[in-house]
Amino acid sequence: MIRHEDVYQIGTIVKTHALKGEVVLNFTDDIFDTSDTDYLIVEVDGILVPFFIEEYRFRNGSSALMKFDSIHSADQAQPIIGCDVYIEKTKVAERGEEDITLNYFVGFAVQTPSGETVGRITDVDDNTENWLFVVETEQGSEVLIPAHEEFINSIDHDARILTMDLPVGLLDL
């Protein structure tokens, strides 16, 4: 059984393409380019299911047309439209700290140096000059935290925890 802690999200299937079962995969990270895998994992109704890649071709820097070997028509592809796509962490080439993009941190918990949990990163807002982590707090509200290197104390890749030393009052805004 594939577990969420063993995979890394790379994108979402957004629509079908043509009639032979191809789908459009929008990437949230460029990690697929450096991976060595012959299958992707699609989360279907909360279950992580492997789909073997028959062929793919990039449309642009952020999407690809993907053909899975078990899907042969647009109707067969319909159930996976809107589903998140993952890659096994073991299939990802080792990245140095300098190679990590901010989207890598989506799903990480944010905590303070004292161990207090702030929430979980749900998105990265890149619409402003200073990029922001969108963090959903345990109370269900949303906080924006500057995704700036000087606030990051440590990164626990295995536990998916980002420890950040945040300015006083930032979480009260």
Side-chain angles (χ1 to χ4, degrees):
M1 180 168 176
I2 303 169
R3 301 175 310 168
H4 276 92
E5 53 268 15
D6 298 330
V7 296
Y8 176 75
Q9 185 176 358
I10 62 165
T12 303
I13 296 173
V14 293
K15 62 182 179 178
T16 59
H17 178 76
L19 302 173
K20 299 200 181 206
E22 281 186 314
V23 294
V24 177
L25 171 58
N26 280 358
F27 293 104
T28 54
D29 197 307
D30 63 354
I31 203 163
F32 181 72
D33 290 347
T34 61
S35 67
D36 180 28
T37 187
D38 53 351
Y39 63 93
L40 295 176
I41 299 161
V42 180
E43 185 171 12
V44 182
D45 295 328
I47 299 170
L48 297 172
V49 181
F51 283 83
F52 285 87
I53 300 168
E54 185 174 304
E55 64 181 339
Y56 68 91
R57 63 189 181 280
F58 289 101
R59 293 176 67 184
N60 54 43
S62 63
S63 69
L65 296 176
M66 187 72 55
K67 173 74 174 81
F68 295 114
D69 67 2
S70 59
I71 297 178
H72 306 290
S73 70
D75 287 340
Q76 287 180 324
Q78 205 58 45
I80 62 172
I81 302 306
C83 292
D84 291 332
V85 178
Y86 300 84
I87 192 167
E88 277 190 305
K89 288 180 181 177
T90 59
K91 301 288 185 180
V92 177
E94 283 298 315
R95 286 180 153 187
E97 294 287 325
E98 66 278 356
D99 296 329
I100 293 175
T101 64
L102 290 177
N103 285 321
Y104 170 80
F105 295 108
V106 172
F108 271 62
V110 176
Q111 71 179 22
T112 64
S114 65
E116 178 187 344
T117 300
V118 176
R120 189 160 301 279
I121 299 172
T122 59
D123 199 5
V124 175
D125 183 348
D126 60 358
N127 293 320
T128 61
E129 190 172 323
N130 296 312
W131 289 24
L132 304 166
F133 288 130
V134 179
V135 178
E136 184 176 322
T137 66
E138 292 179 337
Q139 294 77 29
S141 61
E142 199 172 82
V143 215
L144 299 175
I145 298 175
H148 199 279
E149 193 175 324
E150 72 183 40
F151 296 139
I152 299 174
N153 281 11
S154 65
I155 303 168
D156 184 337
H157 298 277
D158 294 330
R160 296 182 51 86
I161 297 173
L162 191 63
T163 303
M164 299 184 77
D165 193 9
L166 304 173
V168 175
L170 179 73
L171 298 176
D172 300 326
L173 296 175

